[in-house]
Amino acid sequence: MSAKAPNAKLATLLLGLSIFFTGASGLVGEYILSTLSSYLLGNSIEQFSITIALMLGMMGIGGWVQKYIDDSHLLEKFILIEMLLALLVGFAPLAIYAAFGFMETHFLLIQYAFVLSIGFLIGFEIPFIIRINQAYSSTLKANLSTVISADYFGSLAGALVWVYWMLPNFSIVINGFLLASLNFLIATVTVLYFNYHRLIEKRVTSFVLIGITVLALAGGSLSANRWHLELQQHLYNDKIVFSKTTRYQHLVVTHNGKRDEYRFYINGNLQFSSLDEYRYHEQLVHPLMHIAPSHKNILVLGGGDGMAVRELLKYSDISSITLVDLDAELVRLAKNSEVFKKLNHNAFDSARICFPDINNALSVIGKREWIPYGDDINRSEKTGMKPMMFDVVHIDADKFLDRIANRNYDVVIIDLPDPTSIDLNKLYSSEFYMKLKRTLSKRGIIVIQSTSPFQTQKAFLCIGDTLHSAGFQTIPYHDNIPTFGEWGWYIAWKEESFSKETILKQMQQIASFTIPTRYITPQYFLSSTVFPKDFQNHTPPIVNTLMDPKLFLLYNQEAAYYE
């Protein structure tokens, strides 16, 4: 029986869908690898730039090499390419993660091998589909229009789906298999259609390849989370008790049973240890609170773990606290996890509102009418005590300052992660500090966690120089946090508000803090403002700006030296 010729429009549509999903999966596959590399190494700009550039370069090589492939068995060759692409995209995150755990110094070779291979196959595949589709297109112009447009639109659709659906809802490893499976499904439907019209000659070989790929992707998808956890555990000394990739970062909590120690990591970087976090947070909060003339309105930028708020809740003269943290999942962890609740003393039981919509948040911040955080009943209702205003807003700190320029805060506590990325660098820039200055009351004071003055001394000094450029006076201070090493902070205020001598004299006159502390005393804080002889200020000043992110470069250069 002779084969019935396939419908030209339907054949073109199926081939167009194949290239559409290939474009989407190829680009998103590179996003996945870039994101994973950023989680592991930091420096997202470098990782994304190199990954995308290598992919495009290899697409060019793939497109050039395909001209040496003859026209025989094009559909079978298309099946082989789709199978290899699906397997590479699906298993790449796990393979790279394993390489980082077992061969950290050379894992980039594995990562770039996947990047190069995926780019090559995409560049190899597109001309193949053009060659197959030529039989069903009336003109070369129509053929190129279908294939190239489908590829570009697929890339656009893939990017949007990645940002707004895949990244917020699935882990990196699951996204790899999800992407590969969807792309391979469309390709398989296309192959089945051409097979129905008896245009595939090596049917047995083709369907064996399809079957192997389906089984591999199914097995990988079902085992991905278990494999991921086992590989991830290899990167941490202590047992992982919580792991989650949010829209913004990767959160991990580990537990050491021998010491009963919990450690919290963001993107692999230690944020605190339960054994000594109180030392860090007491230094962060209490010197500032005893220097500040007023405690009426408090702003906390970062600090989604609730530890800084725990220390603030010791003061009875605060009228309102506003905590701004971009990641709702982190605050949810700090609010619901028994580990975090024990450490932050149930700080989020006092939270009033939580709006991701800044317009709604601004309409109620600082007002007596409030909405309980989530579905909880505020602790003050149970006790009958006068409630303290405690607002939680999930928004970028820079955007928040843009919207609250007419509000005056007496105390601002900035407890943000180190400037490991351009996004975080923005929150240490001169422009950011000038916005911050506009939100301070006349005699308002701020404190900023400012990296290590030993391991990243130039970065630490750059933060001080940047504060000065924005019109602040500063007092730098430091302390040794056992699990961090030497750490530093800046207290800052508007130049016209006080003199440095006035601030230090005020602290010298404080015999003891008015609230209970486990670690810090006024005298100890004063000793923390003295730096050793080998701590040298650099000249001229180095100022960090949005358009000239010197801090980001300095920090990553210095941090790499100690890795």
mmCIF file of all heavy atoms in Angstrom, residues 406-424:
data_model
loop_
_atom_site.group_PDB
_atom_site.id
_atom_site.type_symbol
_atom_site.label_atom_id
_atom_site.label_comp_id
_atom_site.label_asym_id
_atom_site.label_seq_id
_atom_site.Cartn_x
_atom_site.Cartn_y
_atom_site.Cartn_z
ATOM 1 N N ASN A 406 8.104 60.268 51.688
ATOM 2 C CA ASN A 406 7.520 61.272 52.585
ATOM 3 C C ASN A 406 7.365 60.774 54.015
ATOM 4 O O ASN A 406 6.773 61.453 54.855
ATOM 5 C CB ASN A 406 6.146 61.701 52.051
ATOM 6 C CG ASN A 406 5.166 60.539 51.983
ATOM 7 O OD1 ASN A 406 5.587 59.400 51.917
ATOM 8 N ND2 ASN A 406 3.881 60.848 51.992
ATOM 9 N N ARG A 407 7.899 59.597 54.333
ATOM 10 C CA ARG A 407 7.803 59.058 55.686
ATOM 11 C C ARG A 407 9.125 59.273 56.415
ATOM 12 O O ARG A 407 10.193 59.201 55.808
ATOM 13 C CB ARG A 407 7.435 57.567 55.657
ATOM 14 C CG ARG A 407 6.052 57.327 55.091
ATOM 15 C CD ARG A 407 5.748 55.847 54.982
ATOM 16 N NE ARG A 407 4.462 55.646 54.333
ATOM 17 C CZ ARG A 407 3.308 55.528 54.973
ATOM 18 N NH1 ARG A 407 3.287 55.574 56.291
ATOM 19 N NH2 ARG A 407 2.175 55.370 54.311
ATOM 20 N N ASN A 408 9.051 59.506 57.698
ATOM 21 C CA ASN A 408 10.243 59.774 58.487
ATOM 22 C C ASN A 408 10.472 58.645 59.487
ATOM 23 O O ASN A 408 9.663 58.436 60.396
ATOM 24 C CB ASN A 408 10.111 61.112 59.230
ATOM 25 C CG ASN A 408 10.111 62.287 58.279
ATOM 26 O OD1 ASN A 408 10.866 62.316 57.314
ATOM 27 N ND2 ASN A 408 9.258 63.271 58.536
ATOM 28 N N TYR A 409 11.573 57.938 59.317
ATOM 29 C CA TYR A 409 11.926 56.863 60.240
ATOM 30 C C TYR A 409 13.024 57.340 61.183
ATOM 31 O O TYR A 409 13.983 57.992 60.772
ATOM 32 C CB TYR A 409 12.388 55.625 59.465
ATOM 33 C CG TYR A 409 11.251 54.920 58.750
ATOM 34 C CD1 TYR A 409 11.028 55.118 57.393
ATOM 35 C CD2 TYR A 409 10.398 54.075 59.442
ATOM 36 C CE1 TYR A 409 9.978 54.482 56.739
ATOM 37 C CE2 TYR A 409 9.340 53.431 58.800
ATOM 38 C CZ TYR A 409 9.141 53.642 57.453
ATOM 39 O OH TYR A 409 8.103 53.013 56.816
ATOM 40 N N ASP A 410 12.872 56.988 62.448
ATOM 41 C CA ASP A 410 13.853 57.388 63.463
ATOM 42 C C ASP A 410 15.028 56.428 63.507
ATOM 43 O O ASP A 410 16.142 56.835 63.857
ATOM 44 C CB ASP A 410 13.176 57.437 64.842
ATOM 45 C CG ASP A 410 11.995 58.385 64.854
ATOM 46 O OD1 ASP A 410 12.197 59.578 64.578
ATOM 47 O OD2 ASP A 410 10.861 57.919 65.101
ATOM 48 N N VAL A 411 14.788 55.179 63.194
ATOM 49 C CA VAL A 411 15.832 54.155 63.189
ATOM 50 C C VAL A 411 15.638 53.286 61.955
ATOM 51 O O VAL A 411 14.516 52.852 61.667
ATOM 52 C CB VAL A 411 15.768 53.275 64.464
ATOM 53 C CG1 VAL A 411 16.693 52.076 64.336
ATOM 54 C CG2 VAL A 411 16.120 54.095 65.702
ATOM 55 N N VAL A 412 16.729 53.039 61.227
ATOM 56 C CA VAL A 412 16.697 52.126 60.087
ATOM 57 C C VAL A 412 17.788 51.084 60.288
ATOM 58 O O VAL A 412 18.956 51.429 60.489
ATOM 59 C CB VAL A 412 16.915 52.846 58.744
ATOM 60 C CG1 VAL A 412 16.886 51.835 57.594
ATOM 61 C CG2 VAL A 412 15.855 53.922 58.534
ATOM 62 N N ILE A 413 17.391 49.812 60.259
ATOM 63 C CA ILE A 413 18.326 48.698 60.398
ATOM 64 C C ILE A 413 18.392 47.980 59.059
ATOM 65 O O ILE A 413 17.385 47.478 58.564
ATOM 66 C CB ILE A 413 17.871 47.736 61.510
ATOM 67 C CG1 ILE A 413 17.898 48.458 62.863
ATOM 68 C CG2 ILE A 413 18.746 46.482 61.542
ATOM 69 C CD1 ILE A 413 17.279 47.679 63.998
ATOM 70 N N ILE A 414 19.590 47.938 58.468
ATOM 71 C CA ILE A 414 19.766 47.325 57.155
ATOM 72 C C ILE A 414 20.545 46.026 57.347
ATOM 73 O O ILE A 414 21.746 46.037 57.625
ATOM 74 C CB ILE A 414 20.501 48.270 56.191
ATOM 75 C CG1 ILE A 414 19.734 49.595 56.080
ATOM 76 C CG2 ILE A 414 20.648 47.619 54.823
ATOM 77 C CD1 ILE A 414 20.399 50.610 55.175
ATOM 78 N N ASP A 415 19.838 44.929 57.201
ATOM 79 C CA ASP A 415 20.414 43.599 57.422
ATOM 80 C C ASP A 415 20.264 42.784 56.150
ATOM 81 O O ASP A 415 19.581 41.762 56.112
ATOM 82 C CB ASP A 415 19.715 42.921 58.607
ATOM 83 C CG ASP A 415 20.414 41.646 59.040
ATOM 84 O OD1 ASP A 415 21.591 41.475 58.689
ATOM 85 O OD2 ASP A 415 19.782 40.816 59.717
ATOM 86 N N LEU A 416 20.919 43.259 55.097
ATOM 87 C CA LEU A 416 20.815 42.637 53.780
ATOM 88 C C LEU A 416 22.004 41.718 53.529
ATOM 89 O O LEU A 416 23.065 41.874 54.150
ATOM 90 C CB LEU A 416 20.777 43.730 52.707
ATOM 91 C CG LEU A 416 19.556 44.655 52.744
ATOM 92 C CD1 LEU A 416 19.802 45.885 51.879
ATOM 93 C CD2 LEU A 416 18.305 43.917 52.289
ATOM 94 N N PRO A 417 21.860 40.758 52.611
ATOM 95 C CA PRO A 417 23.000 39.888 52.273
ATOM 96 C C PRO A 417 24.155 40.694 51.688
ATOM 97 O O PRO A 417 23.987 41.835 51.235
ATOM 98 C CB PRO A 417 22.415 38.932 51.236
ATOM 99 C CG PRO A 417 20.935 38.970 51.456
ATOM 100 C CD PRO A 417 20.628 40.359 51.913
ATOM 101 N N ASP A 418 25.329 40.099 51.675
ATOM 102 C CA ASP A 418 26.504 40.745 51.097
ATOM 103 C C ASP A 418 26.278 41.041 49.611
ATOM 104 O O ASP A 418 25.481 40.373 48.945
ATOM 105 C CB ASP A 418 27.726 39.845 51.245
ATOM 106 C CG ASP A 418 28.207 39.756 52.686
ATOM 107 O OD1 ASP A 418 27.691 40.510 53.528
ATOM 108 O OD2 ASP A 418 29.085 38.916 52.972
ATOM 109 N N PRO A 419 27.010 42.010 49.059
ATOM 110 C CA PRO A 419 26.815 42.422 47.654
ATOM 111 C C PRO A 419 27.430 41.440 46.669
ATOM 112 O O PRO A 419 28.347 41.768 45.905
ATOM 113 C CB PRO A 419 27.511 43.787 47.600
ATOM 114 C CG PRO A 419 28.581 43.691 48.637
ATOM 115 C CD PRO A 419 27.992 42.872 49.747
ATOM 116 N N THR A 420 26.913 40.222 46.649
ATOM 117 C CA THR A 420 27.446 39.177 45.775
ATOM 118 C C THR A 420 26.919 39.279 44.345
ATOM 119 O O THR A 420 27.423 38.586 43.468
ATOM 120 C CB THR A 420 27.085 37.792 46.335
ATOM 121 O OG1 THR A 420 25.660 37.715 46.522
ATOM 122 C CG2 THR A 420 27.753 37.558 47.685
ATOM 123 N N SER A 421 25.913 40.085 44.121
ATOM 124 C CA SER A 421 25.328 40.219 42.781
ATOM 125 C C SER A 421 25.042 41.682 42.511
ATOM 126 O O SER A 421 25.038 42.520 43.420
ATOM 127 C CB SER A 421 24.023 39.414 42.682
ATOM 128 O OG SER A 421 23.025 39.995 43.509
ATOM 129 N N ILE A 422 24.787 41.996 41.248
ATOM 130 C CA ILE A 422 24.465 43.382 40.878
ATOM 131 C C ILE A 422 23.161 43.824 41.543
ATOM 132 O O ILE A 422 23.025 44.978 41.945
ATOM 133 C CB ILE A 422 24.359 43.511 39.342
ATOM 134 C CG1 ILE A 422 25.758 43.430 38.727
ATOM 135 C CG2 ILE A 422 23.694 44.814 38.955
ATOM 136 C CD1 ILE A 422 26.671 44.586 39.090
ATOM 137 N N ASP A 423 22.202 42.906 41.671
ATOM 138 C CA ASP A 423 20.940 43.250 42.330
ATOM 139 C C ASP A 423 21.189 43.714 43.762
ATOM 140 O O ASP A 423 20.580 44.681 44.233
ATOM 141 C CB ASP A 423 19.999 42.042 42.334
ATOM 142 C CG ASP A 423 19.464 41.723 40.955
ATOM 143 O OD1 ASP A 423 19.538 42.607 40.085
ATOM 144 O OD2 ASP A 423 18.983 40.604 40.745
ATOM 145 N N LEU A 424 22.057 43.005 44.477
ATOM 146 C CA LEU A 424 22.363 43.387 45.856
ATOM 147 C C LEU A 424 23.281 44.604 45.905
ATOM 148 O O LEU A 424 23.185 45.427 46.819
ATOM 149 C CB LEU A 424 23.007 42.210 46.587
ATOM 150 C CG LEU A 424 22.058 41.050 46.884
ATOM 151 C CD1 LEU A 424 22.824 39.822 47.337
ATOM 152 C CD2 LEU A 424 21.036 41.452 47.948
#
